[in-house]
Amino acid sequence: MIKKIFLTVIILGFISPFILVGYYYFDYDYDISSLVDYKPELTSRIYDKNGEKIANIFDKKDRYYASFDEIPPKAVEALIAIEDTTFFEHSGVNFGAIFRAAIKDIKARKMVEGASTITQQLVKNKLLTREKKISRKIKEFIYSYKIEHALTKEQILERYFNEIYYGHGYYGIKTAADGYFHKKLADLTLKEIAILVGLPKAPSTYAPTKNYEISMGRANRVITRMHILGWIDDAAFEKALAENPTVYDSTLTQNKAPFIVDAVARRFREMGIKDLKTGGYKIYTTIDLRLQKVARDSLKKAYNLSLKRIKKYKEDDLKKLKIAEANGNKDFAIQDVNVSQLNGAMVSLDSKSGDILALVGSVDYKKSSYNRATQGRRQPGSAFKPFIYQVAIDLGYSGATKLVDIAKTYEYEKNGEDMKWRPKNYESDYKGLVTLRNALIHSRNLATINLVNDIGLPQLLRELKKFHIKNLPNDLSIALGTMSLSPLELAKYYTSFSNKGMQVVPHLIASIEQNGQNIYEKQDEEFRTSVPTQAYIMTTILEDVVKRGTGRRANVRGIELAGKTGTTNKNMDAWFAGYSPTIETVVWFGNDDNTPMYHRETGGRVSGPAFRNYYQNILKLYPQIKRKFDEPDGIIEVDMNGKKEYFSDISKPPRVQEESDPEGELLF
């Protein structure tokens, strides 16, 4: 061992001058462009609307970039103190330090001290392998000299602090500060700086997440060295030694909302940006992480309640089956439901801006990462009815207009065969005549179909174009919402109601920065679908849906809410789409294999409670939120049989025909 050390020292001492001569007089093909034109792969970061980090996205190395101006002066001093005290004096290699280290190694009969400069360490990490050969050491010297002549000392330090590995998967000091301490560089204490500076020597050994005490000992040596050099005073020295910082053992991605991360990645692909994982983007989303968590919890709670109900239903049905069999009744059957297929989704928007506040694509991302909120397209059922009723209101109908609620058989031809369609109400009853308000409040299918006939299907389809809804069926089934929409699409269309007759395009990404430059800013898109008075009349009806109709389970005390349930044929889909004065939310539940849910699981029963729980928590998080809908100018309120009805100059109030009708029948 001693002979090997002597030989190394002699060889290095002998050839060093020749290396220098060779460097200056011969053309070495040593490429240092990767350090001179330093452009490492950088982690992109996703933030919510309040600046809280949602996740990191990177390819192979988790690295934030810090300019030299961002790096705390104490970090520079600490590094130089412990690694290379003469950094600002040498030209890349410190031969004096090499010989001093060799002498110590000889005396100790083992390698006890290194002599690599900061520049050499940077070269080893970026340009060379870890092989222990004299040839590699010679290359290291040459590279170091070339770099010292190509870059300033500050540039070398900047590259060092960004390139070096700090353990736990963190590359660069800025990444390590965020990962270990959840802090910005400017907020680090001296002890935390010392911990980070001490890591590169042996990242695994000194990682504070693995060996806290060993890491503290290494940091204390850094601090002691700074004190010996006179770079910190006694007070700072004692304070730093006494500190025991909190260290976080975080995952590298720190992913708090995986559905948002996936949606951002998809949006980047749509925008044609291919380097999301390496481009070092700062992506500011419209998401509110607090609402994202509430939405996720609300969806899961409603899911668990549904499973609990279905279990109870099955137990009751088994009891009924036994009784039926005992009585000789062979016609009683139990519905076969595969509860493993049940899933849900939720999306919540700022009604005015279209900013997506929360987006949950399934009840459990770990079990299914498929985003049903953006990609799952299902029939909205009765949740589509408000669009038909809004057309009627825009044409002059009002909540007091009488609709016919009776059964009718429709005959048509399909593939050369005569067919019959006999639609019915969910309750399988008929009211005869029902007001438009009550028809929507109680989701009367027959009254809605007759309303479509009254308007006329061709005119209805023309009027519905203003909502920009795609793939509408060209038949009466449109009254039952038989088109396919994703929850996000339905939420977009519902802003026509929640935003006072102005539909807005939803946004997930507010802005994108790269290299300190803003490269993307969302542009609000909106267009009018109804005038404010007519949209408000619809809102009053949808308020009654929540207060006393099919959406009662969505009601929340202390805030005005409007919305509509939707349950498709055979209970294959269960929806609730609704809004407060400022926030709109759509909830969907159904089986992934498109089989029916249990027959009692309706939009009001399964999705309504998820909506309710979400808004209850909104009130807790944001008690200052707007709680009452604004009534626009031009609304005429009329008391009708003890109940308030709303009219406008388009939906005119009824008049009393006193002469021909002494009982004062209301005419429309």
Side-chain angles (χ1 to χ4, degrees):
M1 178 66 181
I2 296 175
K3 289 182 179 179
K4 187 175 181 181
I5 294 172
F6 267 123
L7 181 61
T8 301
V9 172
I10 292 170
I11 292 174
L12 288 176
F14 178 76
I15 68 173
S16 293
F18 297 99
I19 292 172
L20 296 177
V21 172
Y23 168 66
Y24 282 112
Y25 292 97
F26 296 96
D27 184 18
Y28 287 96
D29 188 21
Y30 290 111
D31 184 12
I32 60 172
S33 60
S34 62
L35 274 175
V36 174
D37 186 23
Y38 185 59
K39 294 180 180 177
E41 293 185 353
L42 300 177
T43 298
S44 292
R45 286 165 280 176
I46 303 174
Y47 298 94
D48 83 341
K49 62 179 295 185
N50 301 308
E52 184 175 350
K53 187 164 64 177
I54 294 175
N56 294 321
I57 301 181
F58 58 91
D59 186 16
K60 297 176 181 178
K61 294 181 178 180
D62 183 13
R63 177 186 285 115
Y64 303 165
Y65 195 86
S67 67
F68 185 75
D69 291 339
E70 288 183 77
I71 299 167
K74 285 299 179 188
V76 175
E77 292 175 3
L79 174 65
I80 293 173
I82 198 66
E83 294 291 344
D84 188 1
T85 309
T86 62
F87 172 72
F88 283 101
E89 300 168 17
H90 62 66
S91 297
V93 179
N94 188 337
F95 288 106
I98 292 174
F99 283 107
R100 286 194 300 273
I103 292 171
K104 289 183 179 180
D105 293 342
I106 292 169
K107 289 181 177 179
R109 295 178 177 268
K110 61 180 180 179
M111 301 292 287
V112 295
E113 183 173 314
S116 293
T117 65
I118 289 172
T119 309
Q120 288 175 266
Q121 292 177 39
L122 177 60
V123 166
K124 282 189 289 187
N125 277 273
K126 182 64 177 175
L127 302 177
L128 297 175
T129 64
R130 292 283 182 175
E131 62 178 349
K132 295 184 178 180
K133 294 181 179 179
I134 292 177
S135 61
R136 186 200 64 80
K137 200 68 178 178
I138 293 172
K139 292 177 184 178
E140 181 185 306
F141 287 175
I142 295 172
Y143 272 126
S144 297
Y145 274 109
K146 292 191 74 172
I147 288 168
E148 288 275 350
H149 284 77
L151 299 173
T152 66
K153 291 289 187 179
E154 289 76 14
Q155 289 173 327
I156 292 171
L157 287 170
E158 180 175 321
R159 284 152 178 74
Y160 178 95
F161 277 115
N162 284 289
E163 181 63 27
I164 296 299
Y165 180 58
Y166 287 83
H168 202 81
Y170 303 138
Y171 288 84
I173 192 169
K174 188 173 183 177
T175 321
D178 179 78
Y180 287 126
F181 306 118
H182 292 184
K183 287 185 177 182
K184 297 178 180 179
L185 286 172
D187 298 329
L188 293 174
T189 66
L190 179 58
K191 185 61 164 281
E192 291 165 344
I193 287 172
I195 292 171
L196 297 180
V197 165
L199 279 166
K201 184 178 180 67
S204 180
T205 301
Y206 294 130
T209 51
K210 293 182 179 179
N211 302 305
Y212 187 84
E213 293 303 325
I214 294 175
S215 179
M216 293 306 106
R218 170 68 173 166
N220 288 342
R221 288 194 290 276
V222 174
I223 294 163
T224 300
R225 177 64 176 164
M226 295 177 73
H227 186 242
I228 291 171
L229 292 172
W231 293 354
I232 57 174
D233 60 23
D234 293 343
F237 173 65
E238 296 295 337
K239 181 180 179 181
L241 288 181
E243 184 186 351
N244 292 299
T246 299
V247 175
Y248 297 90
D249 191 2
S250 305
T251 61
L252 295 185
T253 60
Q254 301 180 32
N255 195 338
K256 298 176 183 176
F259 279 114
I260 304 306
V261 174
D262 291 352
V264 166
R266 184 179 182 186
R267 181 70 183 111
F268 262 61
R269 290 193 295 270
E270 293 171 352
M271 297 167 70
I273 302 176
K274 299 180 180 180
D275 62 341
L276 171 61
K277 293 184 177 182
T278 60
Y281 296 97
K282 286 185 177 181
I283 304 145
Y284 297 94
T285 70
T286 59
I287 294 295
D288 183 325
L289 270 178
R290 287 174 288 185
L291 295 186
Q292 178 73 14
K293 182 182 185 304
V294 167
R296 184 171 61 245
D297 293 346
S298 298
L299 195 71
K300 190 62 178 284
K301 182 177 180 180
Y303 168 80
N304 289 332
L305 287 173
S306 180
L307 293 181
K308 186 176 180 180
R309 282 194 302 271
I310 292 172
K311 181 181 179 181
K312 180 66 167 57
Y313 295 152
K314 285 186 173 182
E315 291 173 352
D316 292 344
D317 284 350
L318 283 172
K319 293 177 182 178
K320 292 177 182 178
L321 177 63
K322 290 180 181 179
I323 294 172
E325 289 175 344
N327 293 331
N329 183 358
K330 297 181 179 181
D331 295 329
F332 187 85
I334 297 177
Q335 182 183 356
D336 184 22
V337 179
N338 186 0
V339 294
S340 67
Q341 292 292 318
L342 182 63
N343 223 307
M346 181 185 288
V347 59
S348 187
L349 310 176
D350 180 294
S351 299
K352 185 172 179 60
S353 66
D355 289 350
I356 299 174
L357 302 174
L359 181 73
V360 184
S362 74
V363 295
D364 190 337
Y365 182 88
K366 292 180 180 178
K367 292 182 179 179
S368 176
S369 61
Y370 178 67
N371 195 331
R372 293 154 187 80
T374 60
Q375 298 170 278
R377 298 174 64 83
R378 305 288 285 254
Q379 292 184 6
S382 294
F384 181 76
K385 286 176 181 175
F387 297 99
I388 296 172
Y389 282 73
Q390 185 69 68
V391 167
I393 291 169
D394 291 347
L395 291 174
Y397 290 66
S398 73
T401 302
K402 293 293 180 62
L403 304 180
V404 177
D405 185 52
I406 59 174
K408 185 177 180 180
T409 299
Y410 297 89
E411 298 181 355
Y412 62 100
E413 186 178 296
K414 182 178 181 180
N415 299 326
E417 293 186 32
D418 292 334
M419 308 290 290
K420 291 183 179 180
W421 181 44
R422 299 184 180 88
K424 60 181 181 179
N425 290 321
Y426 181 79
E427 297 86 352
S428 298
D429 64 348
Y430 317 102
K431 297 293 185 181
L433 284 177
V434 61
T435 64
L436 181 146
R437 177 176 291 272
N438 283 332
L440 188 54
I441 287 172
H442 300 291
S443 202
R444 311 293 292 182
N445 291 336
L446 299 176
T448 305
I449 293 170
N450 288 321
L451 175 60
V452 172
N453 278 324
D454 192 29
I455 296 171
L457 183 59
Q459 183 178 6
L460 175 66
L461 291 171
R462 286 195 301 271
E463 295 292 333
L464 285 172
K465 287 181 179 179
K466 65 185 179 182
F467 296 108
H468 293 195
I469 303 172
K470 299 177 181 178
N471 304 316
L472 292 175
N474 190 21
D475 55 48
L476 288 176
S477 70
I478 193 174
L480 305 182
T482 55
M483 70 294 297
S484 294
L485 300 171
S486 71
L488 181 58
E489 287 174 324
L490 187 61
K492 169 189 173 182
Y493 301 139
Y494 255 69
T495 60
S496 299
F497 312 130
S498 64
N499 193 32
K500 306 171 184 178
M502 189 73 76
Q503 189 177 126
V504 295
V505 176
H507 298 284
L508 176 64
I509 298 176
S511 64
I512 303 173
E513 291 180 10
Q514 188 183 37
N515 300 324
Q517 301 295 317
N518 195 321
I519 64 170
Y520 171 82
E521 194 83 31
K522 75 179 179 73
Q523 300 295 321
D524 292 338
E525 301 175 57
E526 62 181 16
F527 54 89
R528 184 158 292 286
T529 56
S530 303
V531 298
T533 54
Q534 305 311 98
Y536 180 74
I537 291 173
M538 172 55 66
T539 290
T540 67
I541 298 173
L542 295 179
E543 275 191 90
D544 279 348
V545 172
V546 175
K547 290 176 181 176
R548 56 187 178 90
T550 57
R552 294 186 302 277
R553 291 183 177 87
N555 199 15
V556 175
R557 187 177 300 175
I559 188 170
E560 293 182 349
L561 297 169
K564 183 68 185 74
T565 56
T567 308
T568 58
N569 192 32
K570 297 182 180 180
N571 298 67
M572 294 178 69
D573 301 280
W575 298 79
F576 190 85
Y579 52 95
S580 71
T582 56
I583 296 176
E584 180 203 306
T585 304
V586 172
V587 183
W588 169 85
F589 274 96
N591 288 337
D592 282 335
D593 60 358
N594 283 300
T595 56
M597 295 182 292
Y598 192 83
H599 65 86
R600 297 184 192 178
E601 293 300 275
T602 63
R605 186 179 295 273
V606 64
S607 296
F611 180 93
R612 181 186 65 235
N613 190 76
Y614 179 65
Y615 279 84
Q616 285 173 335
N617 281 279
I618 288 177
L619 292 182
K620 293 176 183 177
L621 289 170
Y622 301 106
Q624 76 281 8
I625 192 172
K626 187 177 177 62
R627 300 189 180 214
K628 293 185 177 295
F629 292 107
D630 293 326
E631 181 178 301
D633 294 336
I635 287 293
I636 304 168
E637 297 182 7
V638 177
D639 187 283
M640 301 182 66
N641 300 319
K643 294 182 180 179
K644 190 181 293 184
E645 191 54 79
Y646 301 86
F647 303 91
S648 68
D649 59 350
I650 297 174
S651 298
K652 298 184 183 299
R655 57 187 177 85
V656 179
Q657 190 178 17
E658 296 178 350
E659 294 181 0
S660 60
D661 185 359
E663 294 183 2
E665 180 183 354
L666 298 175
L667 305 180
F668 308 95

